[in-house]
Amino acid sequence: MNSFSYLRVNSTREALNAVAADSGASFIAGGTNLIDLWKYDLSHPDLLIDLNQVDDLKALKSTGTGGVRLGALLSNADTAYHPVIESRYPLLSKAILAGASAQIRNMATNGGNLLQRTRCYYFYDANSPCNKRSPGSGCSALKGYNRIHAILGASEECIAVFPSDMCVGLAALGAVINIVGPNGDRRIPFADFHRLPGDRPDIDNTLKKGELITSIDLPAKGFEKNYSYLKLRDRHSYAFALVSVATGLELEGEIIKDARIALGGVSHKPWRVPEAEDLLRGKAVTPENFAQAADLILQGAKGYKYNQFKIELAKRAIVRNCMMALDPSTQRPGAQPSL
C-alpha cells in the first residue's frame, strides 16, 4: 500500500511553497511517467502536488523577440497540432508525433516530457544492479542485453539513453527552458539542461530541488522550409528510438547557410555537435558533405556487444535525414529521399 497526500494548487507560488514544505513531495501534471515509476516501486512520493489548475502554465504565446513560448502544462498533442507550431516549427511537431501514442500525447505535458526517465530494462528491474536507480550498485547493461543503449557520452557507471523525441527536436532548434524556484527565476539553454552520466547517473538534469519548469522558449528561426525528423526503431508504432535524427537546414540555393542536427536514442541526453554544423555551413547539399558531418558527430562513439550496429546506423540516418530535409514532402509514408 502506497499512502500519499494530494494537493491541488492554483499558482506557481502555491506550488513552490508546498514542495518546499515537504521533502517527499512531487509535482504531477500528466503523470505519464511518474505513475509508471510509482508502479515499478521506483518513485515514492508522500505528497502529490497537482499543477493542472495553474492556467498560466498552459499558454502558447509570443516571446516578444520573434520566438514562441510553450507553457510547461501544454500537452504534447496540443503543442504538435497547434497551427503556429505546425507552420513555424514543423520539425518540433514531427518529433512530438513520432513519440508515444495518441492517448499518451493527449495527457503528457511539455514540462514532463523534459523530465522523463530512461526506459533501460535494468533501471526498471528491481532485481538488477543499476547505478541510476541505486548509485554504487553497478550497471547491468554494460555486459547485459544492451541493444537500445548509448554509443555516445556514456560512462562505466551508466550506458542508459534518454528516451524523448520531443527533446531531440528542441535540441536541434536551440530552445531555452524557463524555471522558477525558491531562489528566483532561471533560464537554461537546452544543451545545458540534461546531463551526461559521468559518476552520477542518478542525476538526470540540472533542475534543482524545489524548482519548477514553467515554459520552453523557441527561437525565431524554426527551419520551416527545410526540416526532417527520422526515427528508426524495432517496430513502427509505440517504440523508443534506436536512433533518431532531427535536422533543420537554411539554404541559399544549393548552399547550406545554417544547419542543425540532433540525435536521440544514442546518449544520456539529446546529442548535438555544433562543430559538425559549422562544417556544413557554406557547403553544397550533397550526401558526401552530410557524411563528413555524420563522421564528426559520431566521433568517439563506442558500441557494446549488442549495439555496435548503432554507430553505422546513426551515420546513415544522419545522411538520409539531411537529404530528406531538402524536400520535407519526402516524409510522407512510403516516400523515399533521392540520394
Side-chain angles (χ1 to χ4, degrees), residues 103 139 149 163 212-213 229 266:
Q103 294 90 336
C139 175
H149 288 76
L212 175 66
I213 297 172
Y229 189 76
V266 298

Side-chain angles (χ1 to χ4, degrees), residues 12 18 32 45 51 63 101 116 161 165 170 183 189 193 213 227 231 249 259 265 268 271 277 285 292:
T12 54
T32 56
L51 301 170
T63 60
S101 65
Q116 64 183 296
V161 298
D165 289 285
L170 292 172
N183 296 317
F193 182 73
I213 297 172
Y227 65 90
K231 182 177 182 179
L249 300 174
H268 211 251
W271 191 262
E277 299 165 359
V285 287
Q292 287 185 29

Side-chain angles (χ1 to χ4, degrees), residues 41-55:
D41 202 29
L42 300 176
S43 181
H44 314 94
D46 55 35
L47 170 64
L48 285 185
I49 302 170
D50 188 343
L51 301 170
N52 283 287
Q53 302 303 308
V54 186
D55 291 336

Side-chain angles (χ1 to χ4, degrees), residues 210-244:
E211 289 187 322
L212 175 66
I213 297 172
T214 58
S215 59
I216 303 164
D217 285 352
L218 304 178
K221 184 183 292 187
F223 299 96
E224 67 274 11
K225 292 183 179 179
N226 297 104
Y227 65 90
S228 183
Y229 189 76
L230 177 64
K231 182 177 182 179
L232 303 176
R233 44 192 160 172
D234 282 326
R235 64 179 187 272
H236 183 69
S237 176
Y238 196 50
F240 297 101
L242 292 170
V243 173
S244 62

Side-chain angles (χ1 to χ4, degrees), residues 191-204:
D192 298 332
F193 182 73
H194 296 101
R195 297 179 66 257
L196 294 178
D199 60 0
R200 288 300 307 271
D202 55 310
I203 303 175
D204 292 332

Side-chain angles (χ1 to χ4, degrees), residues 32-264:
T32 56
N33 191 208
L34 176 61
I35 301 304
D36 278 346
L37 295 169
W38 205 342
K39 288 178 179 177
Y40 280 88
D41 202 29
L42 300 176
S43 181
H44 314 94
D46 55 35
L47 170 64
L48 285 185
I49 302 170
D50 188 343
L51 301 170
N52 283 287
Q53 302 303 308
V54 186
D55 291 336
D56 290 348
L57 302 184
K58 298 178 181 178
L60 188 152
K61 57 187 178 182
S62 170
T63 60
T65 57
V68 170
R69 176 164 292 174
L70 307 174
L73 280 186
L74 197 64
S75 76
N76 286 178
D78 286 343
T79 302
Y81 289 120
H82 195 287
V84 171
I85 302 304
E86 288 187 314
S87 61
R88 292 189 55 193
Y89 305 95
L91 173 58
L92 179 59
S93 179
K94 294 288 185 183
I96 294 172
L97 294 176
S101 65
Q103 294 90 336
I104 290 176
R105 293 193 298 267
N106 285 338
M107 289 298 298
T109 62
N110 293 335
N113 193 294
L114 272 61
L115 297 175
Q116 64 183 296
R117 306 210 71 188
T118 184
R119 263 56 176 195
C120 172
Y121 331 116
Y122 302 105
F123 174 71
Y124 277 90
D125 181 2
N127 295 314
S128 299
C130 171
N131 287 321
K132 178 174 281 294
R133 188 184 66 246
S134 179
S137 63
C139 175
S140 297
L142 282 170
K143 295 183 179 180
Y145 186 63
N146 41 41
R147 176 177 173 80
I148 67 170
H149 288 76
I151 55 173
L152 289 162
S155 72
E156 291 301 304
E157 301 297 319
C158 181
I159 59 172
V161 298
F162 182 64
S164 171
D165 289 285
M166 177 182 180
C167 287
V168 183
L170 292 172
L173 291 170
V176 175
I177 302 169
N178 297 305
I179 291 168
V180 63
N183 296 317
D185 299 347
R186 289 203 293 153
R187 285 172 55 81
I188 304 178
F190 200 83
D192 298 332
F193 182 73
H194 296 101
R195 297 179 66 257
L196 294 178
D199 60 0
R200 288 300 307 271
D202 55 310
I203 303 175
D204 292 332
N205 55 63
T206 56
L207 198 67
K208 297 177 181 177
K209 185 174 178 58
E211 289 187 322
L212 175 66
I213 297 172
T214 58
S215 59
I216 303 164
D217 285 352
L218 304 178
K221 184 183 292 187
F223 299 96
E224 67 274 11
K225 292 183 179 179
N226 297 104
Y227 65 90
S228 183
Y229 189 76
L230 177 64
K231 182 177 182 179
L232 303 176
R233 44 192 160 172
D234 282 326
R235 64 179 187 272
H236 183 69
S237 176
Y238 196 50
F240 297 101
L242 292 170
V243 173
S244 62
V245 189
T247 299
L249 300 174
E250 183 180 357
L251 306 177
E252 287 185 347
E254 297 295 312
I255 302 301
I256 301 167
K257 184 178 179 182
D258 195 8
R260 303 287 177 80
I261 302 172
L263 302 187

Side-chain angles (χ1 to χ4, degrees), residues 225-229 247-249 251 290 319-331 337:
K225 292 183 179 179
N226 297 104
Y227 65 90
S228 183
Y229 189 76
T247 299
L249 300 174
L251 306 177
F290 293 137
V319 176
R320 176 183 174 189
N321 201 50
C322 287
M323 296 302 294
M324 290 171 68
L326 303 181
D327 181 5
S329 68
T330 58
Q331 297 173 66

